[in-house]
Amino acid sequence: DAGITQSPRYKITETGRQVTLMCHQTWSHSYMFWYRQDLGHGLRLIYYSAAADITDKGEVPDGYVVSRSKTENFPLTLESATRSQTSVYFCASEGGRGEAFFGQGTRLTVV
Amino acid sequence: ELKVEQNPLFLSMQEGKNYTIYCNYSTTSDRLYWYRQDPGKSLESLFVLLSNGAVKQEGRLMASLDTKARLSTLHITAAVHDLSATYFCAAPSGGGADGLTFGKGTHLIIQP
């Protein structure tokens, strides 16, 4: 199906484990983003990518790693999960006019 | 650093009433976006405002942008229950496509 999809939708992991959240888009958009959404903070940008092999830090990048070997995929890795990384994570890609289109979200719980 | 402030953050209103959500941003921007989010769901793009004086309307919602005042408004006319959701405004964080800075959202409840 066309669009932007995230997996998994829900994930529970233990403190200290590595976890990767996947994001795939079929529009061939150049720009992709990872946001986290927390109560009281709204959405905050973690990392973004302007094209394959080009990534940059957003507002809250600490503890996260991204890669973009292909235009359509933009995985987000938590190298050693902490409880403070419990959140809902949204991947987005940018169409024309700077408008962002969001995936369904991944609800991550770190215990 | 861009800051985006919405108010109110919480709004409970009755069906049939009108109301306005305000979005102020701290640095110059000629673009502003409005999104809707239903509980447990993703963000849906509502309006893209690309210039000063831009006005967009969709059903009972109307959004406007005043870049000189650094203000956007989302006006709700004759509210209906289906409009209950959280509404976010967002502005470009900086030059290039380095993402959006979001307001904290307005949680809107429309009661019969």
Side-chain angles (χ1 to χ4, degrees), chain B residues 70-89:
Chain B
R70 298 178 187 167
L71 171 69
S72 180
T73 60
L74 180 65
H75 187 72
I76 304 155
T77 301
V80 293
H81 178 69
D82 286 352
L83 291 178
S84 297
T86 299
Y87 293 87
F88 292 92
C89 64

Side-chain angles (χ1 to χ4, degrees), chain A residues 80-96:
Chain A
S80 179
T82 65
R83 290 198 177 117
S84 65
Q85 292 177 309
T86 292
S87 186
V88 180
Y89 291 86
F90 286 100
C91 178
S93 68
E94 184 182 291

Side-chain angles (χ1 to χ4, degrees), chain B residues 28-98:
Chain B
T28 301
S29 176
D30 60 357
R31 290 179 286 157
L32 196 290
Y33 307 88
W34 284 96
Y35 289 86
R36 169 180 172 149
Q37 185 179 38
D38 293 304
K41 303 293 185 182
S42 185
L43 281 82
E44 172 191 357
S45 178
L46 286 177
F47 297 110
V48 177
L49 303 169
L50 295 177
S51 61
N52 185 42
V55 177
K56 295 283 184 73
Q57 183 161 4
E58 180 74 31
R60 300 174 188 274
L61 299 177
M62 184 174 71
S64 65
L65 177 62
D66 181 342
T67 59
K68 294 179 181 177
R70 298 178 187 167
L71 171 69
S72 180
T73 60
L74 180 65
H75 187 72
I76 304 155
T77 301
V80 293
H81 178 69
D82 286 352
L83 291 178
S84 297
T86 299
Y87 293 87
F88 292 92
C89 64
S93 298
D98 51 356

Side-chain angles (χ1 to χ4, degrees), chain A residues 2 8 15 40 42 51 54 59 61 68 70 73 90 92 101:
Chain A
T15 301
I54 301 174
E59 181 186 354
R68 191 150 177 225
K70 293 183 178 181
N73 297 323
F90 286 100
F101 295 93

